Amino acid sequence: MTTTTAVANDIVGTKRGRWPVGLLLVAAPVFLVGWMIIWPIISAIGRTVWLPNEGGERSFSLETYAFFFSDQYSLNNLWLTLWTTGVCALILILICLPISLYLRFAKGRLAAYVQGLAIFPMFVPSIILSYAIIRVLGPNGTVDLLLNSVGLPKIRSPYLTPWGPVIGLVWDNIPLTVLILLSGLGAVSNQSIEAARDVGAGRWALLWHIILPRISNSVLVAVSFTVLGIFSSFTLPYVLGPAAPEMMGPFMQRTFRDVNDPTMAITQAVIAFGFCIVFGLFYVRSVAKNRAA
Amino acid sequence: MSVLEIRNVTKSFSTTTAVDSFNLTVGDGELVCLLGPSGSGKSTLLRMIGGFETPTSGLISIDGEDVTRVPPEKRPTGMVFQSHALWTHMNVFKNLAFGLKLRRLPEAEIRRKVEAVLELVGLGGYGHRATNQLSGGQQQRVALARSLVLEPKILLLDEPFASLDQHLRERLREEVRDIQQRLKITTLFVTHGQDEALALADRIVVMRDGRTEQAARPDVVYREPATPFVAGFIGTMNLVEGAVANGTFKHSGFTVPVPAGDGPATLAVRPEALEIASADGAGMARIHRVTDYGTHAIVDIELPDGTRLKSMTGEARDWSHGQPIDLKPRAFAAYRDNAAIHRSN
């Protein structure tokens, strides 16, 4: 009896001794998140709804938001950002899903090379990528020169059109999307695929009824991640995109620096954050669903 | 008639030959167990029959139709996998209905067939359940039902009970046998469990290194193993290396009459066929240990050179450690060059 009690006390004591260590371990990241993310968000929202009047006194006002949602130029910029994000997410899934399926089921050296190629964009900085695209697809770029050499007319360059950032952002986000989808496909066992083939499923039935439902969470996570990245992107839309309308990233920078209106720039940031958090919630829901399963 | 024929089938993976010139004919409604140790090629053979592997050479036919290169989705076979391989995003009903839907059967017929098969495997009313809400045994029954609902000509079972506990395994194998006999479906069952094979099969094919060591009824495989490997693999067997001289097998004082030509030989005698008797003098051997299992006792015997044998007796109390004994095999076989040279039953 004494021994049992001593062992029990020992276990309890050990547990008691552990919990402050656990809390201390999470304290630092929690503090950093609070300091560098949560507080700036609260501060930004506060600064956009608690505005100074002519006398310098601050009062609650939704004036900046009202301006944003009534200003056609701002709405065009928001629409362009949403359009670019949606198109990029769709193209990314259409490109990365076949690549991931190939990498999941193919064996051998070629698959290793394809994987290397798919991950390669991760190691190319956005600014380098931007100028590479300008040199290749821009006016008088490599493609134009090649077409000209065989007597064909020039292409209509995507540079400085909405398609410029789309091409750059898709290329830039391929590695992350492929890795997320590949990790989801890794959870689909060979035997469950063989069982489906055994009951008569051809390739499309296999993809539609077995593989896609099993990786739906991974698709959601991939879409959430890419949407979050693309919505708040700056370099590629700034270098490759049109001057007007422009995506939210360059729009915020221009409002802050060129127009010298920090409050409006912060308002744009809060609105962008509002859209991003919707996708963030998708991601959190997906993770929670996975854990519950 | 659903007859499976395998003719000279070989499967090689780079430098390894998993199945080597294998021949087998499985009759209509027959249940054949492919039995062998890990790496003997039994699962590879089953996967070739199911269409998941393509033979390097040879021919597989079902009802006379060559299916060697037919993909699994077009074969009249149904496979039950070791890991159940249920689709967790579908409930039990949808798991079973999937194959029928692919065949574009009317909804009412799908429902009728699924419910009938669920009843057959003892899972009536479980259609709405999520697969992860089922126990291991129930999941395996769903996997079996998923194959049966499509009424395959050949049912293939790849160690389906390997992940289940002993009690459940015994119960399920009886159920599988009942269902198989009721439906009279030609079945191939892969296992490395000899008990499972002996309890289930109409015929056992013992495999080793991709080849057939013996293909016969379970009682024949057990009582008349064709090779020392089969003798050692099926059940518990005392295998004694020795030599035959002048019609007698000898090994370290252990002598047995074997009417065969002189030369090296392996004597195989089962514990239940090895009688022991108290010796007046030194005896052929001594008792090393006695283990009482209640219903019977296993006596470990030590020959003068240290070779150990086992004998099964009814009463443990008659024997004690160190006691000198004589040995008298009631039934045995002697082998030379991987073939029997004498049997005594």
Side-chain angles (χ1 to χ4, degrees):
Chain A
M1 180 68 97
T2 314
T3 314
T4 313
T5 314
V7 170
N9 283 342
D10 196 30
I11 292 165
V12 172
T14 311
K15 279 186 178 171
R16 275 182 185 164
R18 274 182 191 166
W19 73 263
V21 178
L23 279 185
L24 281 172
L25 282 171
V26 297
V30 166
F31 173 73
L32 279 173
V33 167
W35 180 36
M36 302 191 79
I37 297 172
I38 307 292
W39 170 245
I41 291 169
I42 294 168
S43 167
I45 294 169
R47 286 176 68 181
T48 54
V49 297
W50 204 252
L51 300 172
N53 57 21
E54 286 169 358
E57 283 182 14
R58 286 185 176 272
S59 60
F60 180 79
S61 167
L62 294 174
E63 187 186 319
T64 57
Y65 292 95
F67 174 77
F68 183 93
F69 286 107
S70 60
D71 175 41
Q72 194 54 48
Y73 182 68
S74 301
L75 289 175
N76 286 347
N77 290 344
L78 178 62
W79 168 245
L80 178 71
T81 308
L82 286 168
W83 178 86
T84 306
T85 306
V87 168
C88 285
L90 183 69
I91 294 174
L92 274 166
I93 293 299
L94 290 177
I95 290 176
C96 297
L97 190 60
I99 295 174
S100 308
L101 286 167
Y102 171 75
L103 293 176
R104 165 66 180 80
F105 296 109
K107 294 182 180 76
R109 197 171 287 179
L110 183 62
Y113 289 136
V114 171
Q115 179 153 10
L117 273 176
I119 305 304
F120 176 69
M122 196 177 260
F123 305 105
V124 181
S126 299
I127 192 75
I128 305 290
L129 167 64
S130 304
Y131 283 105
I133 289 173
I134 292 170
R135 291 301 310 134
V136 174
L137 294 172
N140 301 321
T142 311
V143 173
D144 272 354
L145 292 176
L146 287 171
L147 290 172
N148 187 49
S149 69
V150 292
L152 290 169
K154 289 179 176 181
I155 57 162
R156 192 178 166 196
S157 172
Y159 176 50
L160 301 182
T161 75
W163 288 102
V166 168
I167 294 168
L169 288 165
V170 165
W171 202 81
D172 205 30
N173 280 281
I174 282 175
L176 182 66
T177 312
V178 165
L179 287 176
I180 294 170
L181 293 179
L182 205 51
S183 113
L185 283 166
V188 183
S189 74
N190 286 340
Q191 286 205 337
S192 68
I193 287 165
E194 287 180 348
R197 292 188 69 195
D198 192 53
V199 300
R203 285 170 188 236
W204 287 110
L206 199 59
L207 179 67
W208 190 250
H209 295 288
I210 305 296
I211 295 173
L212 284 180
R214 297 289 292 275
I215 63 161
S216 57
N217 275 340
S218 295
V219 173
L220 198 60
V221 169
V223 169
S224 304
F225 268 50
T226 51
V227 160
L228 288 173
I230 291 166
F231 206 93
S232 55
S233 59
F234 176 76
T235 309
L236 287 160
Y238 184 74
V239 180
L240 299 173
E246 58 194 332
M247 282 181 69
M248 291 301 281
F251 183 37
M252 277 179 241
Q253 190 270 351
R254 211 171 47 74
T255 308
F256 184 81
R257 180 156 293 190
D258 300 349
V259 184
N260 198 19
D261 187 351
T263 307
M264 206 55 224
I266 295 170
T267 304
Q268 292 159 8
V270 170
I271 290 165
F273 172 74
F275 279 94
C276 285
I277 206 164
V278 173
F279 293 103
L281 287 173
F282 267 119
Y283 170 69
V284 171
R285 180 182 160 273
S286 168
V287 170
K289 204 173 154 187
N290 271 344
R291 294 233 169 146
Chain B
M1 282 283 283
S2 295
V3 177
L4 170 71
E5 284 197 55
I6 300 162
R7 290 280 165 263
N8 287 319
V9 164
T10 296
K11 178 67 185 177
S12 301
F13 297 100
S14 60
T15 55
T16 312
T17 302
V19 176
D20 191 4
S21 302
F22 192 91
N23 288 287
L24 179 70
T25 302
V26 184
D28 188 31
E30 193 180 14
L31 194 158
V32 170
C33 268
L34 299 175
L35 178 67
S38 296
S40 58
K42 53 193 189 303
S43 284
T44 306
L45 179 65
L46 200 78
R47 289 175 60 76
M48 283 193 284
I49 298 165
F52 300 107
E53 300 284 355
T54 308
T56 309
S57 64
L59 183 136
I60 298 171
S61 69
I62 296 170
D63 286 348
E65 190 184 336
D66 182 0
V67 294
T68 315
R69 295 186 191 277
V70 175
E73 57 268 28
K74 291 182 179 163
R75 287 199 187 200
T77 55
M79 183 119 155
V80 179
F81 296 87
Q82 185 179 336
S83 66
H84 320 317
L86 298 179
W87 305 304
T88 50
H89 60 285
M90 299 181 190
N91 64 18
V92 171
F93 181 90
K94 285 180 178 170
N95 262 273
L96 270 63
F98 181 56
L100 298 170
K101 280 186 179 167
L102 290 172
R103 285 159 179 75
R104 299 179 190 283
L105 292 186
E107 200 66 37
E109 195 177 346
I110 290 174
R111 183 160 290 282
R112 184 184 60 74
K113 279 180 180 259
V114 169
E115 282 169 4
V117 172
L118 281 175
E119 286 293 337
L120 181 74
V121 298
L123 289 177
Y126 278 66
H128 66 283
R129 295 267 188 108
T131 54
N132 56 11
Q133 288 178 332
L134 304 175
S135 67
Q138 287 170 333
Q139 286 186 12
Q140 197 53 278
R141 283 181 207 188
V142 174
L144 177 65
R146 186 175 60 187
S147 288
L148 291 175
V149 79
L150 298 173
E151 298 168 16
K153 287 182 176 177
I154 312 283
L155 180 64
L156 308 169
L157 299 120
D158 189 6
E159 304 204 37
F161 311 137
S163 58
L164 307 177
D165 64 59
Q166 182 64 26
H167 177 69
L168 197 56
R169 198 181 304 176
E170 283 171 17
R171 214 177 71 197
L172 273 177
R173 78 184 176 210
E174 282 168 21
E175 287 179 18
V176 165
R177 185 59 169 149
D178 285 347
I179 291 168
Q180 190 269 335
Q181 285 183 336
R182 243 187 293 169
L183 300 177
K184 299 194 189 314
I185 184 168
T186 308
T187 304
L188 251 88
F189 191 108
V190 160
T191 180
H192 61 256
Q194 42 181 291
D195 292 349
E196 217 154 72
L198 290 168
L200 271 174
D202 292 319
R203 195 152 50 105
I204 293 176
V205 177
V206 183
M207 289 181 70
R208 181 194 191 191
D209 298 334
R211 288 171 173 269
T212 304
E213 281 280 311
Q214 185 173 10
R217 290 199 320 267
D219 59 316
V220 175
V221 172
Y222 187 81
R223 291 191 177 84
E224 296 168 24
T227 65
F229 172 81
V230 177
F233 189 72
I234 302 283
T236 309
M237 181 69 87
N238 295 302
L239 289 169
V240 187
E241 299 291 338
V244 176
N246 302 321
T248 304
F249 173 88
K250 287 181 185 167
H251 174 94
S252 184
F254 178 36
T255 57
V256 182
V258 173
D262 291 359
T266 303
L267 189 85
V269 54
R270 296 221 179 266
E272 62 268 29
L274 184 59
E275 272 182 21
I276 53 175
S278 291
D280 294 334
M284 283 183 184
R286 286 182 180 277
I287 288 179
H288 174 70
R289 187 192 299 123
V290 181
T291 311
D292 191 352
Y293 288 96
T295 54
H296 64 280
I298 296 293
V299 180
D300 281 287
I301 301 154
E302 194 171 84
L303 296 179
D305 71 339
T307 304
R308 294 271 175 86
L309 304 175
K310 286 183 188 295
S311 170
M312 193 164 88
T313 70
E315 186 54 72
R317 281 172 293 184
D318 296 344
W319 312 103
S320 58
H321 175 74
Q323 187 179 346
I325 52 165
D326 282 328
L327 305 172
K328 189 184 170 193
R330 279 197 312 273
F332 60 89
Y335 299 91
R336 184 181 294 155
D337 298 331
N338 212 32
I341 53 171
H342 175 69
R343 285 188 198 281
S344 163
N345 290 315

